[in-house]
């Protein structure tokens, strides 16, 4: 029985991970769960799974603490949860997951990674940690898992292109005027996936695909010029790898995050599960098209950010983490998201990072800049 901690257990990926673990109870003991601020949901999960520790990273205390479970607070709670486990599922939203990522790799913890921002913001430093650590890092994101599976049994040096698929989100077939005036309610309605608010908005703007370009670049340590985004509205092919001999290998499944999660937690084995099979005969067709970077400028900004060794990626992510809540609060319009990101990238174009402390410092600077100046950009 391996002890496993789930960081971000009350979010969409965390809940689906627990669902998968219900069928893998002979392999895992859940020893710690964490959330940001959703104490009620976390306490409920803690009771169901009989965990000895839960952590709330976004708050400092609770008015009433249950007697039968230990609770940690603040950012330190994430590290404490990691310290208790043999393996860690990292599905914390945003930049907050980077310290836990670094801790796991420095301490030999096997890591299941859904927090793409750890690699987006960690950049070369995160990749170097992966290369010099005894820890195994397994991707949970459906697209990164698909690439990982398509590379299995093949030599990376023979790779021609990574074809990173993208559903196109809820505004794929909308014109620029509609997108400009889109409401948060419209942007949250993803056609294929059920996700949290932040990633749903990022999917609508294609910012999430921009983050995945960066995640792909560092997870597999490939030249970003070899990463090509392909819009595939059905979300059946989760990504593809083309090789020098013109063979292209694809991974297909129904759009269900539990499938890549199950594959990862089963130790990259094809263990049986009760998830929905892919019925090819029910498909009306599979379609592919290039992305429109004029309608979705976040994608073009991502290709610009990924050119260097990481600093502009931090700016891209941190500005986006400020912009999305502003849009959800209706303080800016939908196109205010790429506007804030672009202005931040222009302002910090000469930024560089040489340590994790530099990353955290740049993140704070970018957030402050975006928060104080966003009204001038939109």
């Amino acid at each position: 029985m391996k002890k496993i901690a789930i960081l971000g257990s009350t979010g969409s990926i965390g809940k689906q991970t627990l669902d998968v673990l219900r069928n893998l109870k002979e392999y895992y003991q859940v020893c710690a769960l964490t959330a940001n601020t959703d104490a009620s949901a976390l306490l409920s999960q803690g009771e169901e799974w009989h965990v000895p520790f839960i952590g709330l990273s976004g708050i400092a205390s609770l008015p009433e603490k249950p007697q039968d479970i230990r609770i940690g607070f603040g950012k330190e709670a994430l590290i404490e949860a990691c310290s208790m486990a043999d393996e860690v599922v990292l599905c914390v939203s945003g930049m907050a997951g980077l310290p836990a990522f670094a801790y796991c790799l420095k301490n030999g913890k096997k890591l299941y990674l859904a927090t793409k921002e750890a690699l987006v913001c960690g950049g070369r430093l995160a990749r170097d940690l992966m290369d010099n650590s005894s820890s195994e890092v397994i991707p949970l994101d459906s697209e990164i898992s698909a690439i990982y599976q398509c590379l299995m049994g093949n030599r990376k040096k023979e790779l021609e292109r990574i074809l990173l698929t993208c559903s196109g989100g809820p505004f794929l077939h909308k014109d620029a005027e509609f997108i400009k005036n889109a409401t948060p309610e419209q942007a949250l309605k993803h056609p294929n996936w059920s996700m949290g608010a932040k990633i749903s908005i990022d999917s609508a703007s294609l910012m999430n695909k921009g983050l995945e370009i960066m995640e792909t670049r560092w997870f597999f340590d490939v030249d970003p010029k070899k990463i090509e985004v392909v819009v595939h509205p059905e979300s059946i092919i989760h990504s593809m790898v083309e090789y020098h001999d013109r063979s292209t290998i694809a991974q297909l499944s129904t759009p269900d995050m539990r499938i890549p999660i199950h594959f990862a937690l089963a130790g990259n084995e094809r263990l049986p599960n009760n998830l929905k099979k892919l019925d090819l005969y029910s498909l009306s067709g599979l379609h592919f098209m290039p992305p429109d970077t004029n309608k979705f400028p976040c994608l073009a900004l991502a290709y610009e950010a990924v050119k260097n060794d990481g600093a502009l990626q931090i700016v891209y992510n941190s500005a986006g983490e400020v912009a999305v809540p502003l849009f959800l609060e209706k303080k800016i319009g939908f196109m205010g998201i790429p506007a804030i990101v672009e202005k931040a990238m222009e302002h910090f174009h000469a930024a560089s990072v040489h340590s994790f402390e530099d990353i955290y410092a740049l993140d704070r600077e970018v957030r402050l800049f975006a928060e104080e100046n966003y009204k001038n950009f939109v």
Side-chain angles (χ1 to χ4, degrees):
M1 291 282 285
K2 291 169 284 190
K3 292 182 178 180
I4 191 167
I6 303 172
L7 277 56
S9 63
T10 61
S12 176
I13 301 298
K15 289 176 182 176
Q16 291 177 88
T17 298
L18 287 172
D19 191 38
V20 169
L21 284 171
R22 289 186 177 93
N23 295 315
L24 296 172
K25 286 186 175 180
E26 67 269 33
Y27 300 101
Y28 289 103
Q29 176 192 351
V30 180
C31 66
L33 300 170
T34 79
N36 184 27
T37 59
D38 194 345
S40 176
L42 186 64
L43 286 166
S44 178
Q45 289 178 342
E47 290 174 4
E48 177 187 352
W49 288 88
H50 306 289
V51 297
F53 176 81
I54 60 173
L56 287 158
S57 60
I59 57 179
S61 64
L62 284 178
E64 294 183 21
K65 290 202 301 183
Q67 299 298 314
D68 57 345
I69 190 168
R70 192 160 58 86
I71 305 178
F73 298 97
K75 297 176 182 178
E76 296 78 11
L78 299 177
I79 303 303
E80 185 170 357
C82 293
S83 72
M84 300 175 65
D86 304 310
E87 303 183 359
V88 175
V89 177
L90 182 57
C91 46
V92 172
S93 177
M95 176 75 169
L98 182 57
F101 171 89
Y103 176 89
C104 288
L105 268 67
K106 290 176 180 178
N107 289 274
K109 309 286 184 179
K110 186 173 183 179
L111 185 65
Y112 302 99
L113 184 64
T115 302
K116 60 179 65 69
E117 293 85 356
L119 288 175
V120 169
C121 297
R124 173 52 63 191
L125 292 168
R127 181 65 244 182
D128 288 347
L129 259 185
M130 291 173 67
D131 290 338
N132 295 303
S133 171
S134 62
S135 300
E136 186 178 8
V137 182
I138 309 295
L140 293 188
D141 279 345
S142 59
E143 294 87 352
I144 311 304
S145 175
I147 298 163
Y148 180 83
Q149 293 178 60
C150 291
L151 285 168
M152 291 175 73
N154 295 287
R155 288 177 288 194
K156 194 175 75 173
K157 68 179 183 179
E158 297 172 346
L159 181 154
E160 182 76 15
R161 285 187 302 167
I162 290 175
L163 299 167
L164 185 65
T165 57
C166 168
S167 71
F171 303 146
L172 174 61
H173 300 296
K174 303 299 184 182
D175 60 29
E177 188 63 22
F178 182 96
I179 294 172
K180 177 183 176 183
N181 296 302
T183 66
E185 293 75 18
Q186 292 168 327
L188 287 167
K189 291 181 180 177
H190 196 281
N192 300 331
W193 299 94
S194 175
M195 306 176 292
K198 170 66 165 61
I199 191 172
S200 294
I201 301 302
D202 284 349
S203 295
S205 69
L206 299 201
M207 185 163 195
N208 186 60
K209 201 54 52 178
L211 294 170
E212 286 178 1
I213 292 170
M214 300 168 193
E215 181 183 19
T216 300
R217 186 263 181 273
W218 294 113
F219 194 100
F220 302 104
D221 204 7
V222 297
D223 186 336
K225 294 177 182 176
K226 292 188 174 184
I227 304 167
E228 183 176 331
V229 173
V230 178
V231 176
H232 168 51
E234 293 81 11
S235 296
I236 296 298
I237 295 178
H238 298 291
S239 277
M240 299 172 273
V241 173
E242 179 187 323
Y243 291 92
H244 293 330
D245 66 352
R246 298 300 179 246
S247 295
T248 299
I249 298 176
Q251 188 269 329
L252 291 73
S253 71
T254 55
D256 186 335
M257 273 301 303
R258 292 174 298 174
I259 294 174
I261 293 170
H262 183 272
F263 173 74
L265 294 178
N268 297 343
E269 294 185 21
R270 307 291 182 180
L271 297 184
N273 59 45
N274 58 1
L275 302 175
K276 184 180 178 182
K277 293 181 179 180
L278 176 61
D279 181 4
L280 292 173
Y281 300 110
S282 68
L283 299 175
S284 59
L286 300 178
H287 300 87
F288 307 93
M289 62 196 78
D292 186 338
T293 54
N294 291 317
K295 287 200 304 182
F296 301 102
C298 283
L299 197 58
L301 292 168
Y303 275 115
E304 184 63 29
V306 81
K307 288 179 180 178
N308 68 6
D309 268 7
L312 275 184
Q313 295 179 179
I314 300 164
V315 178
Y316 180 93
N317 177 75
S318 302
E321 287 194 22
V322 171
V324 170
L326 291 173
F327 170 66
L328 287 170
E329 295 163 11
K330 301 185 177 180
K331 294 180 179 178
I332 62 171
F334 188 73
M335 296 307 292
I337 297 173
I340 291 170
V341 173
E342 182 176 17
K343 292 298 184 182
M345 286 176 61
E346 290 175 359
H347 185 80
F348 292 96
H349 71 278
S352 62
V353 293
H354 305 286
S355 67
F356 281 92
E357 289 70 26
D358 289 345
I359 292 173
Y360 304 134
L362 179 57
D363 172 64
R364 290 191 294 270
E365 286 183 50
V366 174
R367 289 173 190 272
L368 184 62
F369 173 80
E371 290 165 356
E372 290 184 345
N373 296 285
Y374 77 88
K375 292 180 181 179
N376 300 324
F377 306 152
V378 297

